[in-house]
Amino acid sequence: MPDVRHTVIDSPYDALTLVAVDGVLSRIHMTGQRHRPAEETFGAPDPRPFGETTRQLDAYFAGELTAFELPLKLIGTPFQLRVWELLCRIPYGETRSYGELAEELGNPGASRAVGLANGKNPVSIVVPCHRVVGASGSLTGYGGGLDRKRRLLAFESGAAGAEAALF
């Protein structure tokens, strides 16, 4: 049986619940997030497995880190895992459309499936699903809410006043 632990940290986007399975980051949940599992699945409270994750998230929110280097234990279908891998390749401050990701997967007709996999991303922010937009560049679906998505994208793009809006 896996050892599941969690801790809650503050962020500019409300509290984040970090969940580790066997000591490796597996999920990040935002307050009010769509698809948020029941809290009893978060395991025992224990901040010990999350020192490096917390350090990197703090550096990201301070504008000092643009790419995470954390071991992850992601649980999903092979297709979801491929989509989540592509999300990690979207550079900081840039976006991709669902269609562009589908093309990268070699299946241009799979943009809806990419969207569904994107929506099931268990490690938001670290696996940057907020960087995926509609074909026209419009903000579409985000498990943490469109306001958070807008704020994350503004923060990463360095938009004037974005930092003030975060804190």
Side-chain angles (χ1 to χ4, degrees), residues 26-156:
S26 180
R27 301 186 322 240
I28 297 177
H29 300 292
M30 297 177 177
T31 304
Q33 168 184 334
R34 190 176 34 191
H35 306 301
R36 183 180 168 110
E39 291 194 20
E40 49 269 10
T41 68
F42 296 171
D46 182 359
R48 289 177 295 168
F50 305 102
E52 183 60 17
T53 300
T54 300
R55 188 193 71 70
Q56 288 192 34
L57 283 166
D58 286 346
Y60 169 81
F61 294 132
E64 301 164 356
L65 181 78
T66 60
F68 292 93
E69 293 183 21
L70 294 167
L72 301 173
K73 185 171 197 140
L74 302 179
I75 300 165
T77 67
F79 182 79
Q80 288 171 331
L81 293 170
R82 287 178 38 220
V83 170
W84 300 336
E85 181 182 329
L86 285 180
L87 297 177
C88 291
R89 295 183 193 167
I90 302 172
Y92 181 92
E94 295 184 22
T95 60
R96 298 290 183 274
S97 72
Y98 299 101
E100 288 172 321
L101 292 175
E103 284 185 35
E104 277 190 64
L105 289 169
N107 190 349
S111 59
R112 281 185 197 230
V114 167
L116 290 171
N118 191 58
K120 296 286 187 174
N121 169 23
V123 189
S124 58
I125 301 174
V126 171
V127 175
C129 55
H130 61 277
R131 296 179 188 157
V132 183
V133 297
S136 67
S138 61
L139 296 187
T140 58
Y142 184 61
L146 289 181
D147 182 58
R148 280 191 187 115
K149 182 174 187 166
R150 185 177 300 107
R151 291 173 59 207
L152 281 162
L153 291 173
F155 170 69
E156 289 188 3

Side-chain angles (χ1 to χ4, degrees), residues 7 20 62 93 137:
T7 195

